[in-house]
Amino acid sequence: MQRRRLLAVAAALVVASGCSSQEDEAPPGVSAPSSSASASSDGARAAVEAYVRALNSRSAAGLMSVGGVKDEEWSRQEAERILAEQGGRGWKIKDVRIQHDMGPDVGSARLLAEDKAGKPLQDTFTVTRENGTWHLTVFTDQPGEPGKETTATDPPRS
């Protein structure tokens, strides 16, 4: 999927999440519904947990795996930038909320955590399932495919 499409999906998720109140994850201490949506949430939740492990261990390979990107120069550079900004902080997950607001294979994840000093942290991701594997959209600098035109995202001029 092209980077611009992912960004468009992410933007649509932000708009849709303001209108959607259906959550597949139950609050802590409350049983979640046993359905295929709940099973999907478990896979997306595991991806968020893998992301936190990659940050805490400063693993570029772990970030690329959870981001669903190939190990290439651009992805290594972006992984290193992410790790420089957020890695090694000892994130401890407090809550993860998954919403399948765009269908069974695309949704959003909201992570609430705290660092090793007890400072609250939060992040929101687009989660996508490709070939049965859940990924987080954390890489934004993915180059377009060679030979394919990209869609313009500049605002129209009057």
Side-chain angles (χ1 to χ4, degrees), residues 2-4 6-7 10 67 69 74-75 78-79 81-82 136-144:
Q2 291 182 357
R3 181 181 81 156
R4 296 201 195 296
L6 287 174
L7 292 175
V69 296
W74 73 267
S75 57
E78 189 164 357
R81 182 186 53 76
I82 293 168
L136 304 181
T137 305
V138 293
F139 288 83
T140 58
D141 294 336
Q142 186 170 357

Side-chain angles (χ1 to χ4, degrees), residues 27-92:
V30 178
S31 296
S34 59
S35 67
S36 62
S38 182
S40 291
S41 294
D42 291 344
R45 179 190 248 301
V48 173
E49 291 169 353
Y51 170 76
V52 169
R53 283 192 304 276
L55 286 179
N56 287 341
S57 65
R58 293 186 176 270
S59 171
L63 278 180
M64 289 183 286
S65 176
V66 78
V69 296
K70 293 179 183 176
D71 183 351
E72 296 177 350
E73 183 64 28
W74 73 267
S75 57
R76 285 189 297 275
Q77 288 177 354
E78 189 164 357
E80 290 302 325
R81 182 186 53 76
I82 293 168
L83 291 173
E85 292 172 4
Q86 300 179 30
R89 294 164 86 184
W91 290 41
K92 182 177 177 183

Side-chain angles (χ1 to χ4, degrees), residues 2 4 8 149-157:
Q2 291 182 357
R4 296 201 195 296
E149 289 187 36
T150 58
T151 305
T153 58
D154 294 333
R157 295 182 204 165

Side-chain angles (χ1 to χ4, degrees), residues 52 56 89-95 111-116 121:
V52 169
N56 287 341
R89 294 164 86 184
W91 290 41
K92 182 177 177 183
I93 297 173
K94 293 298 182 183
D95 191 25
L111 167 66
L112 298 176
E114 64 182 33
D115 67 12
K116 56 189 165 195
L121 305 163

